[in-house]
Amino acid sequence: MDRTPSVAELLDPRREVVPFHGREAELDRLRRWRDADSPWSLLLLHGPAGSGRTRLTGEFAARDAEPDRVLVVVDDADRWPWPALLRLLREPVTTPAAHVRVLLTARAAGWWWSALRQHAGELDYTTAELVLAPSPEDPATSFASACEHFAAALDLPAPTGPAPASATTFDLHLAALAAVHGANAHAGGQELVRWLVSVDPAPPPPGKLAEDVLAVTLLDERIEPERSPDALETLLRAAERWPHARRRVEALFSAEPDLVRTASGATLVTLAQCPAIARAVAGHVFHDERFHRDPLPAVLTRTLLRERAPHADRLELAELHRMLSARAALASLREEAVEASRREVALYRELVAADPREHRGALADALDELGLRLVAVGREQDALAAAEEAVQLRGQVAEDGDGTPELAAALERLSARYAAVDRREDALTALTSASVLYQQLAKDDPTRFRLDFAKASHHLAVRLFDVDRKREGLGAADAAVRRWRKVAQADPRYEPEHARTLVSIAALLSGFGQCERARSVLREAIGVLRRLAEANPAAFEPELAGALEALGAVLLRSERMGEALKVSREAVALRRRLAGDGEPAARAELAASLVALVDALPEPADRVAAAEEAVLLARPLAAEHPVRHEVDLVVAQARLARLLLVAGREYEAGALVEEVLAAQRRLPRRLLMTRAGGLAGALHALATALAGIEHHGWALRLAEQAADIWRDLLGHHRGAPIAFAMAVHHTAVLLHGAADPRALPRARGALLLWHLARTPEQLRTELRYADALSLLARLCAETGRELDTALELAHRAVLVLRTARATPDRFIRAVAAADEVVRAHPDPEAARRRMRAMAARDQPEVSSS
């Protein structure tokens, strides 16, 4: 530096005038966090202003950097706007690295960190925090080092003397700089800041020094603080540490609460714990859309509740806890929301004990809210208990008076809770009771309850299909269609919801093989959506395209290829027009529609062209927004790779397969909950295609990745148990095709998973379970192991297929597996007699015939 550095420049930690030393324990903790096995991890390093966070993170980032690992450092994260923090977590990098570390620094933790930590957990981050002590462990050595290096920078003699008592490392350095200039290093914080201003009157850069200078300036009551965003942020940060600055902030925001529009939520959140400030700004914050999903409204509500608690009665406190729970939930403060909701329930219990008739309904409402909060943190059993108690209370209210609608709604919620813990019969029983109540309510007052009855009919169809009562489920689905039609005819405002429900019912019907009914329902939905799209294209053309895509898929399943092609092309044309303005979501929908079109196209070249366009659309989207669109890209790539293999373009397909395999390592598993079916299905199909041309290594890796997806979703995705069993079975099939000895234990594992996923009664007609039985029996025969057990397995497979009335080709394969076991047995004739005995035991009418 050619000129003499200013005081502010010497104290700037980024200039590193004083060498870094100490903090070895903290550096070791950071290194262990960085080198841990977890793929994505988030750590908060926090300590008070001036504690040396910036120097510590700089030193850590510079040491032992590894090129294949990503480290993102965010200084002063508590000053970042909440949406920016969420974006940082969702899309930290666009690199293919599978080892990502995000290091945040802040002055304090608090609810902003709790909200971020809980949100990060949803994205598969592990989270941790490290508290930084405010001052160095050896202040005497630190003071002497600072004096020496400041003196060298200023070409002045280095002073000697004891280190002053200093709250933080920064304060110690400020005292050392004063000592170098000949000032009193022991003068105390306020006087040292005055000295600094006298030596260097230029405004310091943002940070602790600027905040301290402003705080000392504002000791003069005649000086008014500026109202600019930067000035307000400096003032608010200073008020965290200087009592008189806090009083100035209280007075300022009390007089001008609309300054909330100028100040950032990140700086307001720390001061929102002050009752005077909270009272002044609460109304403005609660109505400001900028703070939707921000922790600030929840922190304000907590402050107001604490202030009001000594004076409020139980009813007011319960209402305040309800508001706190709702605002905490919006900010991803899920555990805090549960705690607030629990307190609300406890208060209403006390009120019910004093006056049951007056407060039972409110307690039931509070239990419903608690149930929602518990579901959000994955405590389904506790949520079920809350729903059961709410139904009991609603029943008592209904007995006392007119509480039937609320009882019916509570039974619907209870049904959903039972379904969430796989108590399907109980879910059906609760929903049947709700439907009966809604039926009577709709009969007595159609205008008010026709809609509720239609919704319950739809849900009842779902529950009936869940327990394999297909005939009754079909009747309920037909009834739901009729009732929704009446709802829309009576009130056209419900036409959009009518169409959406029809699409949902069609998906249910299609999933259970009722393609003809599904086609009819979808055509009705499309008719409604066409009318709506004519009146409001922007709002309803996307939904019309989605319904057309659903119809195309159903037509493909029915092998009505000409109709499927026509419908799918119309869907793609709509999506193409909607994507014309370059909106990322619309481009992603177009890519997905092209992927769906592929199977309807008759010409192989056209199929490849459509799949290539889908990949071209999805690739830049995944680069810009990896978490949001990477699954779309992987599905499109898997589909294109399969088509290229069919076309004999193995080299190009191989490059895509490697990309698909690499992508799996960086996809957060929890984000796959709603996308798992499409992704795992694409991996399965590609693995099968690769196995068909004897690329067993790639095929197995893809199949195992599909199995890993479903395994990770156990307990989070309702279809995961069966999908996991099928995926493991697929890996066993591939291992068998490659003559790999691991096939036998893998087939055993698949069979065990089937037994865990389904009841014995459900397995009696489960065709896919029969496939797993046959495969294990065949493997036992080929390896000569456990042949007596294999006889039982092969017999059970045939029995399941007979009971389920399977197609002849499937039945022939199972019989062939049984014959293999018999031939492999040391005594084939004895094995045949045993097979006949088992058939006579389990199906005597078949045996006798």
Side-chain angles (χ1 to χ4, degrees):
M1 185 176 290
D2 295 334
R3 59 178 177 79
T4 301
S6 69
V7 170
E9 289 170 338
L10 290 169
L11 291 170
D12 188 340
R14 291 166 297 185
R15 293 181 178 272
E16 301 183 359
V17 175
V18 179
F20 181 88
H21 69 280
R23 301 291 194 190
E24 288 302 323
E26 289 86 350
L27 281 170
D28 181 63
R29 171 72 177 82
L30 288 169
R31 281 193 291 267
R32 284 186 283 114
W33 163 74
R34 180 197 62 198
D35 297 335
D37 292 335
S38 55
W40 287 23
S41 190
L42 171 70
L43 183 139
L44 172 67
L45 171 69
H46 62 93
S51 57
R53 290 174 287 111
T54 301
R55 286 299 304 276
L56 176 60
T57 54
E59 186 71 14
F60 166 64
R63 291 190 185 188
D64 305 323
E66 297 187 38
D68 61 334
R69 299 188 174 191
V70 173
L71 174 65
V72 180
V73 180
V74 181
D75 207 9
D76 288 325
D78 53 342
R79 297 170 63 180
W80 277 44
W82 184 243
L85 284 174
L86 296 185
R87 283 196 300 273
L88 172 75
L89 286 185
R90 292 193 189 105
E91 294 150 17
V93 287
T94 57
T95 172
H99 192 277
V100 177
R101 294 293 179 267
V102 179
L103 174 60
L104 310 179
T105 76
R107 295 185 180 182
W111 272 20
W112 75 272
W113 164 240
S114 182
L116 194 67
R117 186 184 69 242
Q118 293 178 59
H119 190 85
E122 293 182 343
L123 302 176
D124 283 354
Y125 283 88
T126 59
T127 58
E129 60 182 282
L130 175 60
V131 181
L132 188 63
S135 57
E137 296 174 1
D138 185 359
T141 301
S142 295
F143 182 71
S145 175
C147 288
E148 176 187 349
H149 289 90
F150 286 145
L154 294 169
D155 197 22
L156 292 172
T160 58
S166 301
T168 68
T169 300
F170 180 89
D171 295 324
L172 191 70
H173 284 187
L174 176 58
L177 188 55
V180 168
H181 280 85
N184 181 8
H186 299 264
Q190 184 174 308
E191 291 306 315
L192 284 173
V193 172
R194 289 186 188 278
W195 165 82
L196 182 150
V197 172
S198 69
V199 173
D200 184 2
K208 182 179 185 298
L209 185 58
E211 296 157 18
D212 290 347
V213 168
L214 177 61
V216 170
T217 302
L218 292 178
L219 285 167
D220 187 340
E221 294 291 338
R222 296 170 299 178
I223 298 176
E224 281 291 317
E226 293 181 31
R227 269 70 165 174
S228 68
D230 290 343
L232 282 175
E233 182 169 338
T234 302
L235 174 60
L236 289 166
R237 302 287 277 188
E240 297 172 18
R241 294 175 290 107
W242 294 81
H244 74 277
R246 178 175 287 254
R247 289 192 294 273
R248 297 293 293 272
V249 168
E250 290 176 11
L252 180 63
F253 278 87
S254 297
E256 304 175 51
D258 59 347
L259 283 174
V260 165
R261 299 190 184 93
T262 305
S264 69
T267 51
L268 282 171
V269 74
T270 55
L271 296 179
Q273 300 175 57
C274 169
I277 296 175
R279 285 195 306 273
V281 305
H284 291 76
V285 168
F286 294 154
H287 294 95
D288 192 328
E289 291 185 0
R290 289 183 303 147
F291 302 125
H292 180 64
R293 300 181 65 83
D294 191 289
L296 178 58
V299 175
L300 284 170
T301 305
R302 181 183 59 173
T303 301
L304 296 172
L305 190 156
R306 288 175 174 173
E307 183 189 30
R308 184 63 188 149
H311 316 289
D313 60 24
R314 288 193 188 97
L315 191 59
E316 183 183 353
L317 279 176
E319 178 63 17
L320 285 170
H321 278 93
R322 184 191 67 78
M323 288 190 291
L324 176 59
S325 177
R327 287 169 179 154
L330 278 174
S332 298
L333 289 157
R334 295 182 178 87
E335 292 291 351
E336 291 81 355
V338 167
E339 184 55 36
S341 195
R342 283 196 182 281
R343 183 57 187 148
E344 179 195 1
V345 167
L347 287 163
Y348 274 119
R349 288 196 196 284
E350 296 174 12
L351 290 164
V352 167
D355 189 345
R357 291 178 64 93
E358 177 67 23
H359 298 293
R360 275 194 192 118
L363 175 56
D365 288 340
L367 286 162
D368 286 335
E369 290 295 322
L370 175 59
L372 291 174
R373 307 295 176 238
L374 290 165
V375 168
V377 295
R379 291 156 66 178
E380 296 284 359
Q381 291 291 348
D382 290 341
L384 173 58
E388 288 176 330
E389 185 180 356
V391 166
Q392 182 183 8
L393 287 163
R394 290 295 183 194
Q396 293 170 357
V397 172
E399 289 175 3
D400 292 341
D402 186 19
T404 303
E406 291 78 11
L407 174 58
L411 284 163
E412 274 196 288
R413 288 188 288 270
L414 178 60
S415 175
R417 299 287 174 265
Y418 279 132
V421 296
D422 210 29
R423 290 172 58 176
R424 302 183 184 192
E425 290 290 350
D426 290 330
L428 176 59
T429 300
L431 192 58
T432 300
S433 299
S435 298
V436 169
L437 292 175
Y438 278 131
Q439 184 175 23
Q440 186 59 51
L441 289 165
K443 181 179 178 181
D444 296 340
D445 189 351
T447 302
R448 184 178 172 192
F449 294 108
R450 186 187 288 118
L451 176 62
D452 296 305
F453 187 31
K455 289 181 177 179
S457 300
H458 173 205
H459 299 155
L460 182 61
V462 174
R463 300 287 172 245
L464 285 164
F465 276 113
D466 268 353
V467 296
D468 291 328
R469 290 163 61 174
K470 296 179 182 178
R471 183 176 298 176
E472 294 167 85
L474 289 172
D478 290 342
V481 171
R482 292 194 305 272
R483 286 162 190 159
W484 266 103
R485 194 180 294 134
K486 289 181 179 179
V487 167
Q489 288 170 351
D491 190 341
R493 290 178 303 171
Y494 291 109
E495 279 199 327
E497 193 173 353
H498 172 213
R500 293 177 197 123
T501 303
L502 291 176
V503 173
S504 176
I505 291 172
L508 177 68
L509 293 169
S510 175
F512 284 91
Q514 299 296 317
C515 291
E516 187 61 43
R517 277 187 164 95
R519 285 198 304 273
S520 175
V521 172
L522 279 169
R523 291 192 189 283
E524 182 175 351
I526 288 168
V528 175
L529 288 167
R530 286 195 195 280
R531 292 197 306 272
L532 293 169
E534 286 177 8
N536 189 344
F540 294 108
E541 278 190 342
E543 292 190 62
L544 174 58
L548 288 165
E549 288 160 356
L551 178 57
V554 170
L555 290 166
L556 276 174
R557 289 187 62 184
S558 305
E559 297 185 357
R560 300 170 71 154
M561 307 306 293
E563 295 176 70
L565 179 59
K566 180 180 177 182
V567 167
S568 299
R569 277 181 167 157
E570 183 183 358
V572 167
L574 263 176
R575 294 292 189 194
R576 201 179 295 282
R577 186 164 72 250
L578 292 166
D581 60 358
E583 172 64 31
R587 285 187 286 145
E589 294 288 358
L590 172 58
S593 194
L594 285 162
V595 169
L597 174 66
V598 164
D599 289 332
L601 291 166
E603 297 298 327
D606 292 338
R607 290 184 172 193
V608 171
E612 285 177 332
E613 184 183 358
V615 171
L616 285 173
L617 284 163
R619 195 180 293 282
L621 290 169
E624 296 164 19
H625 310 285
V627 169
R628 200 176 311 162
H629 296 300
E630 184 111 38
V631 172
D632 301 324
L633 175 60
V634 172
V635 170
Q637 287 174 321
R639 179 65 62 91
L640 176 57
R642 185 159 58 89
L643 292 169
L644 291 172
L645 288 171
V646 172
R649 296 160 63 179
E650 291 189 24
Y651 180 79
E652 296 168 80
L656 286 169
V657 171
E658 289 292 352
E659 283 194 67
V660 168
L661 288 166
Q664 298 305 298
R665 294 194 297 270
R666 61 179 184 266
L667 287 172
R669 290 290 182 243
R670 295 189 187 181
L671 289 178
L672 298 177
M673 286 185 195
T674 59
R675 314 286 298 282
L679 177 59
L683 297 177
H684 175 97
L686 180 54
T688 302
L690 286 162
I693 56 172
E694 299 189 355
H695 280 288
H696 296 294
W698 273 342
L700 183 61
R701 288 168 64 191
L702 288 163
E704 287 181 333
Q705 285 189 348
D708 287 345
I709 291 171
W710 289 118
R711 182 198 60 213
D712 291 346
L713 294 177
L714 290 172
H716 301 286
H717 188 291
R718 190 170 179 185
I722 291 176
F724 185 35
M726 293 172 59
V728 172
H729 171 74
H730 187 218
T731 66
V733 170
L734 294 172
L735 288 166
H736 180 221
D740 191 313
R742 292 175 294 169
L744 180 59
R746 196 69 59 88
R748 283 199 194 99
L751 197 63
L752 174 61
L753 290 170
W754 271 113
H755 290 151
L756 294 172
R758 280 283 189 254
T759 65
E761 182 62 28
Q762 291 169 331
L763 290 175
R764 285 183 68 250
T765 56
E766 178 54 72
L767 300 177
R768 297 163 297 184
Y769 172 62
D771 293 340
L773 288 165
S774 290
L775 176 64
L776 183 52
R778 179 175 278 115
L779 285 165
C780 288
E782 291 175 2
T783 58
R785 299 180 183 177
E786 304 173 33
L787 292 173
D788 287 334
T789 300
L791 287 171
E792 180 70 37
L793 296 171
H795 163 68
R796 201 184 316 162
V798 172
L799 186 64
V800 169
L801 294 173
R802 283 191 189 279
T803 306
R805 300 181 184 277
T807 56
D809 59 329
R810 208 164 197 160
F811 192 77
I812 290 169
R813 288 196 300 271
V815 171
D819 288 342
E820 283 185 43
V821 177
V822 169
R823 288 194 301 271
H825 200 276
D827 188 344
E829 188 55 40
R832 287 191 186 93
R833 288 197 299 271
R834 185 176 172 192
M835 290 288 279
R836 286 196 292 268
M838 287 188 288
R841 177 193 69 198
D842 295 325
Q843 281 193 316
E845 71 284 358
V846 174
S847 178
S848 61
S849 62

